[in-house]
Amino acid sequence: MRTIMHVDMDAFFAAVEVLDHPEYAGKPLIIGGRKDSPRGVVSTASYEARKFGVHSAMPIARAAILCPQGIFVPGRMKRYQEVSEQIHRVFPEFSPLVEPLSVDEAFLDMSGCEHFYPNLEAMGQSLKRRIKDVSGLTASVGIAPNKFLAKLASDFRKPDGLLILKAADVQRFLNDLPVGKLWGVGKKSEAVLHKHKLYYVRDLLPHSLPWLRERLGSALGSQVYHLARGLDERPVIPEQEAKSIGHELTFAEDHADFSFLRLQLAQMSEKVGWRLRSQGLHAKTVSIKVRFADFKTITRAQTLSFPFNDDDTIFREALHLFKQVKLEPVRLLGVTVSNFSVGAQMSLFSLEQENTSQVNEVMDKINRHFAPGTIRKGRSLNSDSTE
Ligand code: TTP
Ligand code: MG
């Protein structure tokens, strides 16, 4: 029997804002944009704001109607990333087998580590306490015999929760769970199950594996059959090395204005370059992704003969690729670099490139010292600038 721990920070971005602005404590706080921002979407909301029905992915405008007294802040990704890294550095203290899932959550395979703690409750408390000490924030933790159950458990007592699901209690816990909570059951398969009057996990139990497979398809049918019985064999997979670094942006409206899109490419190239350099990497390939108004999505890539890590090369190649695409209204734009090498031989570079790399170094230093984006290249500041 395995022991899997799932940890997920509570109202993460909002909690970081409260940490840095104690005057926000206890108030309805909404992250993602200013109140009058017509395009913003809610990243997250404090638990106080959630009482008004505000939730992630909701348009800011809607949140402003539901919760007019809310405090609206645009969000500071760099700061959240920093706290995220603090938290993710804690996990390996508890287990060598950590699977980071997102900015604020991870699975830890604690099998074989149980004897370090008087009981599983103490194990969970110990992780929660360590996260609090390191970051000042609360996390919710679930401990269970597998990943599926551990994630359900951490969610169940949020915020600042801890739930241990023992094998003997699993079926009772699952029986009252809506079928939509089973992994893989989206809106479509939920509708199929509802059509058969199957609303809760307990309703699924009388149905055989072939019966579910026939209605949901072979793979999902089997998954639902097993999850409904609390069975999930998926291993905790330790972090894989990043194979690419990218940024993409979905626009609230479709854009066909070339100078606007070029500005977006310039800004994304800077972000990608910054991340590449902060990880000490060089890349050889630049790719762009373009999704059009009709959701048709294309990617284009260019591999260079030398490794690079400067914004200029990324932007130049991204722009070159973009110019070859027939301009139609664009819904999403992305820039990615891949094909990494660690460091690069400067001797291979021309003097010009060496100068560029010095400019980037100075800009990064300033941006690290002050806020990211304090100093930027002219072309990413407005759409009138030249290449
Ligand atoms: P979540 O863990 O899903 O949410 P949360 O930590 O804010 O709240 P909870 O207590 O329910 O776990 O996501 C982590 C962060 O990721 C969240 O603080 C903001 C960001 N995020 C978005 O930007 N957009 C989204 O749609 C979601 C779901 C999250
Ligand atoms: Mg969270």
Side-chain angles (χ1 to χ4, degrees):
M1 172 90 76
R2 294 182 297 156
T3 302
I4 308 296
M5 182 150 69
H6 179 259
V7 50
D8 186 313
M9 303 300 292
D10 303 316
F12 183 50
F13 292 2
V16 174
E17 291 302 334
V18 172
L19 188 71
D20 294 352
H21 307 272
E23 68 273 19
Y24 294 162
K27 306 244 167 74
L29 180 62
I30 294 147
I31 314 296
R34 301 195 190 282
K35 209 190 225 161
D36 51 6
S37 126
R39 300 163 42 132
V41 194
V42 176
S43 306
T44 193
S46 66
Y47 277 79
E48 290 81 359
R50 292 182 197 192
K51 290 187 195 136
F52 295 86
V54 177
H55 58 74
S56 294
M58 167 184 282
I60 290 282
R62 171 100 185 109
I65 293 168
L66 289 175
C67 186
Q69 67 273 59
I71 301 169
F72 289 76
V73 300
R76 299 172 295 150
M77 269 320 291
K78 269 270 131 51
R79 177 72 181 121
Y80 309 145
Q81 197 61 45
E82 189 179 285
V83 181
S84 168
E85 282 163 22
Q86 288 174 348
I87 295 154
H88 281 278
R89 275 198 293 271
V90 166
F91 305 145
E93 296 172 11
F94 284 78
S95 165
L97 256 182
V98 177
E99 180 176 337
L101 276 189
S102 78
V103 69
D104 81 328
E105 67 181 307
F107 283 115
L108 283 68
D109 190 336
M110 302 299 290
S111 313
C113 304
E114 297 88 346
H115 65 279
F116 292 123
Y117 309 89
N119 51 46
L120 295 182
E121 178 92 22
M123 178 194 276
Q125 288 297 357
S126 159
L127 177 62
K128 280 164 62 76
R129 202 172 322 114
R130 184 81 183 109
I131 289 175
K132 181 91 194 219
D133 286 348
V134 164
S135 67
L137 302 177
T138 62
S140 293
V141 169
I143 304 179
N146 61 47
K147 286 168 90 170
F148 166 62
L149 295 169
K151 194 164 157 85
L152 284 178
S154 76
D155 197 46
F156 202 69
R157 297 251 165 95
K158 259 182 175 299
D160 202 9
L162 171 62
L163 180 63
I164 322 284
L165 257 184
K166 298 249 168 63
D169 303 324
V170 165
Q171 199 60 56
R172 204 160 4 114
F173 177 81
L174 286 176
N175 282 343
D176 295 333
L177 199 73
V179 290
K181 289 267 182 185
L182 296 173
W183 279 4
V185 177
K187 286 274 162 271
K188 235 173 81 190
S189 11
E190 191 182 31
V192 172
L193 293 171
H194 284 180
K195 204 180 78 196
H196 291 280
K197 303 215 174 336
L198 307 173
Y199 300 101
Y200 297 95
V201 167
R202 72 175 109 80
D203 304 331
L204 298 171
L205 298 177
H207 293 285
S208 68
L209 179 58
W211 191 90
L212 282 168
R213 282 184 146 169
E214 203 169 300
R215 269 121 201 126
L216 296 173
S218 172
L220 184 61
S222 166
Q223 185 165 315
V224 164
Y225 179 87
H226 289 99
L227 292 181
R229 287 156 180 79
L231 303 171
D232 170 28
E233 288 301 318
R234 271 167 302 188
V236 170
I237 301 167
E239 184 168 28
Q240 324 223 310
E241 288 216 358
K243 295 208 163 47
S244 67
I245 292 177
H247 262 282
E248 48 179 64
L249 204 58
T250 304
F251 306 122
E253 301 152 21
D254 304 327
H255 282 279
D257 173 17
F258 179 76
S259 56
F260 171 84
L261 295 167
R262 187 180 61 179
L263 172 68
Q264 307 306 315
L265 283 177
Q267 290 176 347
M268 282 191 272
S269 300
E270 274 187 21
K271 286 185 183 157
V272 169
W274 156 277
R275 282 172 57 198
L276 191 59
R277 294 189 294 279
S278 29
Q279 294 183 37
L281 295 170
H282 284 72
K284 280 178 85 173
T285 302
V286 177
S287 28
I288 61 163
K289 176 169 159 187
V290 187
R291 177 169 297 150
F292 298 103
D294 61 359
F295 275 85
K296 189 180 81 177
T297 307
I298 57 159
T299 55
R300 297 282 182 269
Q302 176 70 44
T303 298
L304 305 186
S305 56
F306 56 88
F308 56 84
N309 71 355
D310 61 296
D311 304 342
D312 294 86
T313 307
I314 301 169
F315 175 58
R316 191 185 63 227
E317 294 307 320
L319 186 63
H320 180 68
L321 291 166
F322 186 65
K323 279 181 174 167
Q324 295 167 33
V325 174
K326 187 166 164 285
L327 193 59
E328 289 169 39
V330 172
R331 167 171 294 250
L332 172 150
L333 200 56
V335 175
T336 298
V337 295
S338 55
N339 212 345
F340 294 148
S341 55
V342 179
Q345 291 161 292
M346 287 310 292
S347 59
L348 294 177
F349 285 73
S350 68
L351 187 62
E352 190 194 345
Q353 265 159 344
E354 217 164 304
N355 284 338
T356 309
S357 111
Q358 281 165 8
V359 170
N360 280 310
E361 209 173 294
V362 171
M363 285 181 61
D364 284 352
K365 263 195 194 140
I366 294 172
N367 284 332
R368 244 193 299 276
H369 198 73
F370 302 99
T374 300
I375 176 168
R376 318 181 76 160
K377 300 227 167 75
R379 62 164 178 256
S380 66
L381 292 178
N382 65 64
S383 42
D384 298 322
S385 55
T386 50
E387 276 164 49

